[in-house]
Amino acid sequence: MYSEEQLYSIALRECNLIGDINFLKLVRTFGSAKEAWEHAKKEYQKVDGIGRKIVSDIGNIAYLEFAENELKFCENNKIQIRLRHLNELPKLLKECDDAPAILYQKGNFDDSLKTLSLVGTRNISPYGKQFIHDFFEETQSNQYISISGLALGVDKEVHEQSIEYNISTVAVLAHGFHMLYPAKNKKLSEKIIENNGALFTEFNSSRKPDRENFIQRNRIVAGISPATIVVETAFGGGSISTATFANNYNREVFALPGKITDKYSQGCNQLIFQHKARAISTLKDLTDSLDFNKPLEKIEELFPRSEESIQLTENQTVVYNSIIDHPQITLDDLAQKISLPSHKILPVILELELLGKVKSYSGRQFTAI
């Protein structure tokens, strides 16, 4: 069932100092994980950026024995092993420079379907719950896969609503398949697989849910989808790291704005203010931006909007017209054209974004909608 290349890949990746990037360098230079295992220690000079210290663990029989036991564990637990260097990762994830060398999978994943990541705080509010419910209700006629992290709060709600509306969902774990954290979500993880979804992890069966693993996990959540929605998060919450990864991968990020006094909206508001995420003003605008098919039923707006044309202030009009005349204009160029300092322009752009008039891109570039 399992290949020799999988065996040597697990052994090689288990070596100290052989992370995902060094692993890829080695297998690309030597042609396979087995060849790297057998020759890299003596011929490391062939690999750019690899020194004697990095390859010092390669060839250790203990790692090969570990890999043999890992293959037995995977076989007993019906776990698939996907290797990056054999182009077996989900298509968007393998584009990321720091994609995992090995991805373990339980369940089913249809790589032909659109993926969408939804993340947020463990301390979900009724506001966040309502948004998630409304979102899945409005998008249930679309074929896509939701991605989240199987934590309590927002993640749990995303997976449960996906199942409720018969949408496949994938949970990305921060530990190996020898356990399930948090234990409260064990039944939910089983339901995910029963409903044609999947569990993913880059961690083997020796890895526990250590704190640093969750940040590492978040890059997979961000990298596997073309867009990430941040539902609710505080300043410095884990979802901020997911949004940062998504920005770095040049993926779309959306954030649900809230009251500045609500702790778990402050992180979302900050992402929007710093132009690291687009503000979600209505469900219709969001689903249109995601290129979802419009349902036949009338889509109710999360924040009802008047059918009358919006009257812009003088500053809004000046900024908006300049962006219309110069699509993809940068903040510095905009400041120069309208003779206003950038710190005065940013709040106006945020207002226009909330009104659905302007879209921001990475690199502080803007275009009119």
Side-chain angles (χ1 to χ4, degrees), residues 74-274:
C74 290
E75 186 170 9
N76 292 336
N77 292 277
K78 299 180 180 178
I79 296 166
Q80 300 174 52
I81 302 173
R82 293 170 171 253
L83 302 180
R84 181 189 182 183
H85 66 285
L86 297 185
N87 293 318
E88 294 172 347
L89 296 190
K91 59 180 181 290
L92 288 177
L93 183 59
K94 69 184 178 186
E95 294 176 0
C96 305
D97 291 339
D98 58 351
I102 304 170
L103 190 65
Y104 299 93
Q105 174 185 329
K106 267 189 174 184
N108 300 304
F109 178 77
D110 184 349
D111 207 12
S112 67
L113 292 180
K114 179 195 292 285
T115 49
L116 175 66
S117 297
L118 298 98
V119 298
T121 178
R122 289 168 172 79
N123 300 287
I124 189 171
S125 73
Y127 173 60
K129 278 190 175 184
Q130 187 64 52
F131 167 78
I132 293 171
H133 172 271
D134 291 348
F135 178 80
F136 281 102
E137 185 175 52
E138 297 299 344
T139 59
Q140 62 183 302
S141 63
N142 294 269
Q143 290 290 310
Y144 71 100
I145 300 172
S146 70
I147 312 288
S148 201
L150 201 64
L152 299 176
V154 167
D155 293 9
K156 181 173 182 284
E157 195 70 22
V158 167
H159 296 307
E160 288 181 339
Q161 290 296 319
S162 298
I163 293 168
E164 177 72 21
Y165 287 102
N166 200 31
I167 293 168
S168 292
T169 187
V170 167
V172 186
L173 310 181
H175 53 77
F177 276 127
H178 61 299
M179 64 176 299
L180 198 288
Y181 179 86
K184 289 180 180 179
N185 282 347
K186 182 168 177 54
K187 286 187 177 179
L188 177 56
S189 71
E190 292 167 355
K191 283 185 179 178
I192 288 172
I193 293 175
E194 288 169 6
N195 286 269
N196 205 37
L199 307 180
F200 280 150
T201 184
E202 65 183 302
F203 301 106
N204 61 48
S205 65
S206 72
R207 300 293 296 276
K208 298 177 181 179
D210 296 324
R211 184 185 181 97
E212 62 270 17
N213 291 358
F214 289 90
I215 299 297
Q216 197 169 326
R217 181 272 310 274
N218 290 347
R219 84 189 195 290
I220 296 179
V221 175
I224 204 170
S225 298
T228 293
I229 297 173
V230 183
V231 179
E232 288 183 305
T233 190
F235 289 127
S239 298
I240 300 296
S241 70
T242 310
T244 301
F245 282 123
N247 286 154
N248 291 339
Y249 297 147
N250 200 28
R251 309 290 163 78
E252 288 270 30
V253 180
F254 300 86
L256 183 67
K259 296 177 182 177
I260 61 173
T261 52
D262 288 351
K263 179 180 178 181
Y264 295 104
S265 286
Q266 289 172 351
C268 290
N269 293 342
Q270 183 185 42
L271 286 171
I272 295 166
F273 181 75
Q274 293 178 339

Side-chain angles (χ1 to χ4, degrees), residues 48-91:
D48 186 41
I50 298 289
R52 184 187 298 274
K53 185 178 180 181
I54 289 175
V55 300
S56 60
D57 268 357
I58 296 177
N60 188 330
I61 191 66
Y63 296 132
L64 208 54
E65 290 172 352
F66 172 87
E68 288 172 350
N69 290 330
E70 194 66 17
L71 289 185
K72 290 175 186 175
F73 174 82
C74 290
E75 186 170 9
N76 292 336
N77 292 277
K78 299 180 180 178
I79 296 166
Q80 300 174 52
I81 302 173
R82 293 170 171 253
L83 302 180
R84 181 189 182 183
H85 66 285
L86 297 185
N87 293 318
E88 294 172 347
L89 296 190
K91 59 180 181 290

Side-chain angles (χ1 to χ4, degrees), residues 275-289:
H275 300 283
K276 294 178 179 178
R278 292 175 57 184
I280 298 171
S281 57
T282 71
L283 281 179
K284 182 180 185 302
D285 287 344
L286 176 59
T287 53
D288 285 350
S289 296

